[in-house]
């Protein structure tokens, strides 16, 4: 995987990007500031048993910039707080920005781990190439995530109570008037303790298939984690939630009959011993949890398919579930499509619960990590 990242960086550096800044930006090793790390003996005053998915200000954030000299400065940890932006910043005017999401977990013995952070780094690099932006190297990205987790260690929930959600941002912060890449870029990482993403907690999701509003289209940026992908779905989400649904499942924009993904997560169907998920062809974000569940299902003897899935197949599916860094693995209790409510049996022996149990087991160290997914924060 690191070899793949190196190949990508070579490709990115040699590609004809319209911005001179983007073409000559290189990353520098982040500065380590252990003196401001939180004490292991401290503990945030939080009701860990009732931790939802809400913004909670923690202690520190990491920041580094790629300025007009074309080099990312040494990153540093600062107190969490607002950042200064020009009204003409590229991210504000033209949406030139990406974000990632990963988590830090605390095990029973108190040690802290990350889950596949290098995959987030590679995905950000791919997104940066699409959005004409420089990007941090895999090593710098992972180092920044580690620093942010350590600096906010007292905010990491006890084992089994949640996780520290870590949000890396890559944004065009330099001022620009005409449509062009920003002259300066900022890589920033902050963190927040979280529990369940959906308000109903671990209860099955009730999805609504949206036929008129589309999340992404061919040739667009739906396959990367661009900030521009999310605001356009807010109206559909708001309408769905007002009618009692958990979230929205979107169809492809061309044929309007193939399912793609939910607003903030990927989707899977189970039929017998076959696990199917929509194929990623530029309109679907390839989630890290999605990849992991596919590997786990294969290990457990399932046939795993990435293919075009017609919405009509939802009717005959044995089981449907969603995956994502924020949502984890969430079973779907019902899907409403063309006025018809399709209900799915919810039980303790669901395939998705087997997959999730194995995933959590690997994260907590109960099951052997044979793929080197876990990165310990020392």
């Amino acid at each position: 995987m690191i070899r793949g990242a190196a190949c990508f960086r070579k490709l990115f550096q040699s590609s004809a990007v319209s911005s001179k800044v983007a073409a000559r930006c290189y990353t520098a090793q982040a500065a380590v500031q252990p003196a401001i790390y939180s004490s292991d003996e401290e503990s945030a005053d939080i009701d860990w048993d009732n931790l939802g998915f809400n913004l909670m200000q923690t202690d520190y954030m990491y920041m580094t910039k790629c300025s007009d000299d074309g080099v990312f400065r040494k990153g540093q940890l600062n107190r969490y707080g607002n950042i200064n932006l020009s009204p003409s910043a590229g991210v504000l005017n033209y949406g030139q920005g990406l974000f990632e999401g990963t988590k830090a977990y605390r095990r029973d013995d108190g040690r802290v781990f990350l889950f596949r952070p290098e995959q987030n780094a590679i995905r950000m690099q791919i997104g940066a190439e699409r959005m004409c932006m420089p990007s941090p190297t895999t090593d710098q990205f992972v180092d920044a995530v580690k620093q942010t987790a350590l600096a906010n260690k007292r905010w990491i929930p006890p084992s089994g109570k949640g996780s520290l959600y870590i949000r890396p941002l890559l944004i065009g912060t330099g001022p620009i008037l005409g449509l062009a890449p920003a002259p300066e870029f900022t890589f920033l990482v902050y963190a927040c303790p979280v529990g369940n993403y959906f308000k109903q907690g671990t209860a099955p999701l009730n999805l609504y298939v949206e036929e008129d509003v589309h999340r992404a289209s061919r040739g667009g940026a739906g396959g990367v984690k661009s900030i521009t992908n999310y605001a356009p779905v807010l109206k559909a989400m708001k309408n769905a939630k007002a009618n009692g649904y958990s979230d929205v499942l979107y169809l492809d924009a061309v044929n309007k009959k193939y399912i793609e993904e939910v607003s903030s997560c990927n989707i899977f169907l189970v039929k017998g011993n076959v696990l199917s998920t929509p194929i990623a062809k530029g309109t679907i974000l390839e989630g890290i949890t999605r990849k992991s569940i596919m590997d786990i299902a294969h290990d457990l003897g399932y046939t795993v398919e990435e293919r075009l899935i017609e919405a009509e197949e939802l009717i005959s599916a044995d089981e449907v579930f969603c995956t994502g860094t924020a949502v984890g693995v969430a079973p779907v209790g019902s899907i409403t499509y063309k006025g018809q409510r399709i209900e799915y049996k919810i039980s303790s022996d669901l395939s998705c619960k087997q997959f999730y149990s194995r995933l959590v087991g690997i994260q907590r160290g109960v099951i052997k990590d044979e793929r080197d997914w876990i990165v310990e924060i020392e």
Side-chain angles (χ1 to χ4, degrees):
M1 198 58 66
I2 298 300
R3 181 175 60 187
C7 291
F8 172 79
R9 287 196 294 274
K10 183 177 180 182
L11 172 65
F12 171 63
Q13 291 169 2
S14 63
S15 62
V17 180
S18 59
S19 168
K20 291 182 180 179
V21 174
R24 57 191 175 88
C25 283
Y26 302 90
T27 54
Q29 183 64 32
V32 179
Q33 296 184 332
I36 64 172
Y37 287 166
S38 300
S39 169
D40 291 348
E41 297 178 0
E42 296 180 21
S43 179
D45 185 16
I46 297 175
D47 180 2
W48 300 116
D49 292 320
N50 293 290
L51 192 61
F53 200 92
N54 301 299
L55 183 62
M56 189 178 301
Q57 180 173 321
T58 51
D59 296 325
Y60 296 100
M61 62 184 187
Y62 172 99
M63 185 183 297
T64 183
K65 289 181 179 291
C66 174
S67 57
D68 56 3
D69 61 2
V71 178
F72 270 102
R73 302 170 186 168
K74 288 186 177 181
Q76 64 180 10
L77 290 162
N78 301 311
R79 282 286 183 180
Y80 179 93
N82 295 337
I83 61 174
N84 292 321
L85 276 180
S86 166
S88 57
V91 66
L92 297 180
N93 290 262
Y94 300 116
Q96 194 176 24
L98 299 161
F99 75 90
E100 277 296 329
T102 187
K103 288 178 176 179
Y105 303 87
R106 191 186 298 273
R107 289 185 177 175
D108 292 337
D109 60 7
R111 291 188 297 164
V112 177
F113 294 82
L114 300 172
F115 183 71
R116 307 187 73 178
E118 78 287 346
Q119 290 293 308
N120 296 94
I122 293 169
R123 189 168 65 180
M124 176 170 278
Q125 292 163 5
I126 293 171
E129 194 276 335
R130 175 65 178 84
M131 303 294 286
C132 289
M133 305 170 72
S135 59
T137 65
T138 300
D139 288 343
Q140 185 185 24
F141 182 101
V142 174
D143 180 64
V145 169
K146 285 182 177 181
Q147 288 193 52
T148 305
L150 280 175
N152 296 291
K153 191 173 182 180
R154 72 190 186 98
W155 297 91
I156 303 177
S159 178
K161 300 291 186 179
S163 58
L164 185 72
Y165 183 81
I166 303 173
R167 171 65 62 84
L169 293 167
L170 181 61
I171 54 178
T173 46
I176 191 78
L177 183 60
L179 180 57
E184 179 187 82
F185 297 89
T186 297
F187 176 54
L188 183 153
V189 186
Y190 69 92
C192 174
V194 298
N196 291 312
Y197 180 79
F198 291 102
K199 289 184 178 180
Q200 61 265 45
T202 58
L205 305 181
N206 298 306
L207 302 179
Y208 175 79
V209 178
E210 175 59 59
E211 299 181 68
D212 298 319
V213 176
H214 300 283
R215 176 190 168 275
S217 59
R218 292 180 184 177
V224 300
K225 209 165 176 64
S226 168
I227 62 174
T228 56
N229 290 338
Y230 295 86
V233 305
L234 294 178
K235 185 174 182 179
M237 286 177 61
K238 182 180 179 181
N239 291 339
K241 290 183 178 182
N243 286 293
Y245 299 104
S246 307
D247 211 330
V248 177
L249 173 58
Y250 300 91
L251 301 177
D252 75 289
V254 178
N255 300 289
K256 299 184 180 182
K257 68 176 183 178
Y258 299 109
I259 63 172
E260 293 208 323
E261 63 179 279
V262 181
S263 304
S264 58
C265 45
N266 297 120
I267 192 164
F268 286 86
L269 278 67
V270 179
K271 181 68 174 179
N273 200 47
V274 178
L275 177 68
S276 303
T277 191
I279 188 169
K281 299 182 71 174
T283 57
I284 295 173
L285 185 68
E286 295 189 63
I288 312 304
T289 308
R290 173 183 180 270
K291 293 180 181 179
S292 304
I293 292 299
M294 290 168 68
D295 286 338
I296 288 172
H298 183 269
D299 291 345
L300 293 176
Y302 284 77
T303 298
V304 180
E305 299 179 338
E306 289 184 86
R307 61 178 178 84
L308 293 175
I309 301 175
E310 293 192 23
E312 294 290 340
E313 294 184 53
L314 295 169
I315 299 173
S316 60
D318 296 332
E319 177 185 341
V320 178
F321 63 92
C322 297
T323 65
T325 298
V327 307
V329 177
V332 173
S334 72
I335 297 179
T336 298
Y337 175 52
K338 292 186 178 297
Q340 178 183 356
R341 183 182 175 94
I342 309 162
E343 297 192 351
Y344 303 99
K345 181 180 179 181
I346 301 299
S347 64
S348 59
D349 61 351
L350 289 176
S351 297
C352 71
K353 294 193 175 183
Q354 296 178 42
F355 304 151
Y356 185 58
S357 177
R358 192 172 184 86
L359 176 66
V360 172
I362 294 171
Q363 292 170 341
R364 293 182 180 176
V366 177
I367 297 175
K368 184 178 179 181
D369 174 23
E370 297 180 344
R371 290 188 171 87
D372 295 326
W373 284 349
I374 306 301
V375 176
E376 183 172 6
I377 303 175
E378 300 176 353

